Amino acid sequence: MTDGKNEGADYGADYDVVVAGGGPVGLFLACELRLGGAGVLVVERLAEVDETIKAGGINTAGAVALYRRGMLPELAAAWERNLWRMRAFIGERSAGERSAGAPRATPPKFAGHFAGIMMRGDLFDDSDPAFADIGPADGVGLGVPQAELERILAARAERLGVEVRRGVELTGFDADGEGVSVHLGGDNTVRTGWLVGCDGGRSTVRKLAGFDFPGTDPEITGYQAVVEMTGGERLGAGWNTTDVGTYVNGPFPGRILTVEFDGPPADRSAPITAEELQASLRRVSGVDEVTIHEVHSSTRFTDNARQATGYRKGRVLLAGDAAHVHSPFGGQGLNLGLGDAMNLGWKLAAVVRGLAPDSLLDSYTAERHPIGAWVLDWTRAQIAVMRPDRHARALRRVVTGLALTTSGTTYLVKQISGVWQHYDLPGEHALTGQSAPDLELSDGTRLGDHLHDGRALLLDLADDPKLRARAEGYADRVGVLTAACPGRPELTALLVRPDGFVAWAADKGDEEGSGLGDALSRWFVAA
């Protein structure tokens, strides 16, 4: 990799890929494309990182994706810097208050909430097989705000040679069979092989490309903010349900959230005033003494739930909120977008470099669309349980009773954490299509340590030269590692895709190498 410009093919383009949107999803996608050898330009209309309060952390699936790219140290450091935000939940002193030499805090086991029904950590059964072999990333991303994650990814993009232009807005594009001419305002036009819209829920790329975007209309107006207020001691801590709606106080001082079922706002983009936030908080909480004096950060949201019917139109693709929008409940949006980027990045880079046919990109929609559809329904279900009418409140009592059991809590945590996510891939082995277990190897390393370069990995656990020979023709795309894994003696081999999902696996007693050739040619055959 050199300067990040066109490196894959000579088709008269300035860049192999232009990514519209420099938030966490766009930056992570750009990093994945660079690892795959593509030249990338990211254009972002904002001149600086958006500090507006948004996602407050990432789930297990998101943290594992970053861990597989060697980013766990940055993620853990960011988590500790923001640990004070979690004090109300874990009862620990913040990193800044720790005495010299005191041990680092251990991340709390992810519990979360469903529709504001908080799960109890003591009811979570972490011996469930779904949580086996996750590795050191489990729980690390919980307290990392979206803006901090964006800064981490921006620094990584710079190290990898991604060109990022801030304060530059995509105003239009013209796509043809050979590429895309991207207009960046005035007479500034760049030519690219591919364009990916990571430009948010009101995506310009999606609208101009004509993607169908069906879904359900919103019925709530929500606010999330960090404020200075008095009278807050009269508010309930955490999530609270009232006759009017829902409000949240915490987990750190001044952070509030309100939800009212009075339809969507007339203008989501209008400035949010202290008076507007105060009125909503008073209505929902019933505490008229609470007064908001200053607003540090605020945002409106709704439960508009829509998803593009497909994520590709010719040489234009979508990822993240550009492909799907929904309410923020359950914290799924950022994680869903990171998964999109991890799935698409290696595939598009392979196409750009001529190492795979365009048809490989069909698997992007096929694999990610069902997960996006699940997330939309997951958020819709929470809206149904949060409504203030009598039927919904009766349903809420039933769901609360189920949630406050070991089996109920464990089920909900599995859904929230993302450990359930898998792809429907050909193969009979139970691991095929699953996120790869982070196997602990006999040399002291873990599987995730060997995925940093963004290549696929054939892990030979039986020291089988014939097996390794099958991958010789794929050396530039598939690394080969011979190791032992005492903790999983039944496994003899794994083929792990660049995104960390298992494409093929074998146990002792399986026919030697059966299915490996098909998996290699399916995912890594040259165009």
Side-chain angles (χ1 to χ4, degrees):
M1 294 184 291
T2 54
D3 64 358
K5 292 193 175 183
N6 184 331
E7 298 171 17
D10 183 14
Y11 42 71
D14 302 304
Y15 300 89
D16 294 319
V17 183
V18 169
V19 177
V25 174
L27 290 170
F28 190 40
L29 174 61
C31 292
E32 290 296 288
L33 289 164
R34 286 295 292 145
L35 283 180
V40 190
L41 169 66
V42 176
V43 293
E44 167 55 51
R45 65 178 181 83
L46 297 179
E48 303 291 341
V49 172
D50 185 1
E51 300 289 347
T52 303
I53 182 170
K54 293 181 180 177
I58 58 176
N59 67 12
T60 298
V64 167
L66 298 174
Y67 158 62
R68 286 169 173 162
R69 293 300 183 255
M71 300 176 65
L72 191 60
E74 296 106 310
L75 201 61
W79 176 84
E80 187 159 343
R81 285 194 299 270
N82 290 280
L83 180 58
W84 65 274
R85 295 172 177 264
M86 304 294 291
R87 292 172 66 190
F89 292 101
I90 63 176
E92 297 262 1
R93 288 179 301 170
S94 71
E97 294 174 329
R98 284 189 293 114
S99 59
R104 292 169 63 94
T106 300
K109 179 63 68 175
F110 193 99
H113 74 90
F114 180 83
I117 302 167
M118 299 302 297
M119 261 74 75
R120 285 171 39 188
D122 62 318
L123 292 176
F124 169 42
D125 179 11
D126 60 3
S127 68
D128 188 286
F131 297 95
D133 298 319
I134 289 175
D138 191 16
V140 173
L142 288 178
V144 181
Q146 182 168 324
E148 184 117 11
L149 178 61
E150 185 174 328
R151 283 189 285 270
I152 291 171
L153 289 167
R156 175 174 172 81
E158 183 178 6
R159 293 194 300 270
L160 289 174
V162 174
E163 182 179 347
V164 179
R165 299 186 193 176
R166 284 194 166 272
V168 175
E169 187 170 6
L170 181 149
T171 57
F173 61 85
D174 299 300
D176 55 51
E178 300 298 321
V180 186
S181 297
V182 181
H183 310 306
L184 303 177
D187 296 326
N188 189 4
T189 296
V190 297
R191 182 70 174 171
T192 182
W194 300 83
L195 171 64
V196 185
C198 298
D199 50 343
R202 287 172 269 190
S203 168
T204 298
V205 172
R206 185 189 67 236
K207 293 173 182 177
L208 292 179
F211 284 87
D212 292 331
F213 202 51
T216 51
D217 294 331
E219 57 184 87
I220 70 167
T221 291
Y223 299 94
Q224 184 175 201
V226 179
V227 302
E228 297 287 343
M229 63 182 174
T230 55
E233 68 277 0
R234 301 200 56 181
L235 298 171
W239 286 78
N240 299 268
T241 299
T242 73
D243 291 339
V244 177
T246 296
Y247 76 94
V248 181
N249 177 27
F252 55 89
R255 188 263 184 171
I256 60 170
L257 181 149
T258 65
V259 177
E260 296 182 78
F261 285 79
D262 55 355
D267 182 1
R268 274 193 62 187
S269 61
I272 301 172
T273 65
E275 292 76 17
E276 184 179 356
L277 289 170
Q278 176 179 288
S280 179
L281 184 57
R282 287 181 175 182
R283 282 193 300 270
V284 178
S285 69
V287 179
D288 291 336
E289 295 83 0
V290 66
T291 301
I292 294 177
H293 303 283
E294 186 175 354
V295 180
H296 296 298
S297 177
S298 61
T299 183
R300 289 186 190 87
F301 62 88
T302 73
D303 58 321
N304 183 36
R306 298 184 180 280
Q307 182 181 25
T309 53
Y311 293 174
R312 177 190 175 193
K313 273 183 171 288
R315 289 181 172 266
V316 180
L317 300 108
L318 303 176
D321 289 350
H324 34 68
V325 295
H326 49 82
S327 79
F329 302 125
Q332 298 293 322
L334 178 56
N335 298 284
L336 180 58
L338 294 175
D340 291 347
M342 193 79 160
N343 186 287
L344 175 60
W346 69 274
K347 296 174 181 177
L348 183 53
V351 171
V352 161
R353 295 178 58 204
L355 299 177
D358 289 8
S359 59
L360 178 63
L361 297 175
D362 295 338
S363 67
Y364 169 54
T365 295
E367 292 175 359
R368 294 303 300 174
H369 197 277
I371 294 177
W374 178 89
V375 168
L376 264 66
D377 277 349
W378 178 259
T379 61
R380 289 181 180 119
Q382 291 181 80
I383 291 296
V385 175
M386 294 171 69
R387 289 181 183 131
D389 63 84
R390 291 187 65 182
H391 290 83
R393 290 301 159 86
L395 175 62
R396 186 180 187 85
R397 288 189 288 271
V398 173
V399 174
T400 299
L402 293 171
L404 296 180
T405 65
T406 296
S407 58
T409 294
T410 304
Y411 169 80
L412 290 170
V413 172
K414 280 195 288 190
Q415 307 308 304
I416 294 169
S417 66
V419 298
W420 62 273
Q421 295 178 11
H422 66 280
Y423 302 136
D424 184 15
L425 305 184
E428 300 300 322
H429 196 280
L431 287 176
T432 302
Q434 303 290 330
S435 179
D438 193 39
L439 302 176
E440 188 171 357
L441 306 177
S442 56
D443 63 0
T445 65
R446 305 186 71 98
L447 177 58
D449 297 326
H450 300 279
L451 299 175
H452 294 183
D453 63 2
R455 290 195 303 162
L457 179 69
L458 177 60
L459 180 60
D460 172 19
L461 298 173
D463 194 8
D464 184 351
K466 292 182 179 178
L467 186 77
R468 298 193 296 272
R470 290 174 180 259
E472 288 179 354
Y474 302 87
D476 58 339
R477 287 151 283 169
V478 182
V480 179
L481 175 66
T482 300
C485 181
R488 296 290 293 270
E490 79 284 2
L491 282 175
T492 59
L494 288 176
L495 176 62
V496 183
R497 300 190 325 187
D499 57 2
F501 282 75
V502 178
W504 170 85
D507 289 334
K508 288 181 179 178
D510 290 348
E511 183 180 343
E512 184 179 287
S514 176
L516 175 58
D518 290 341
L520 286 166
S521 62
R522 176 183 179 87
W523 299 112
F524 309 113
V525 68

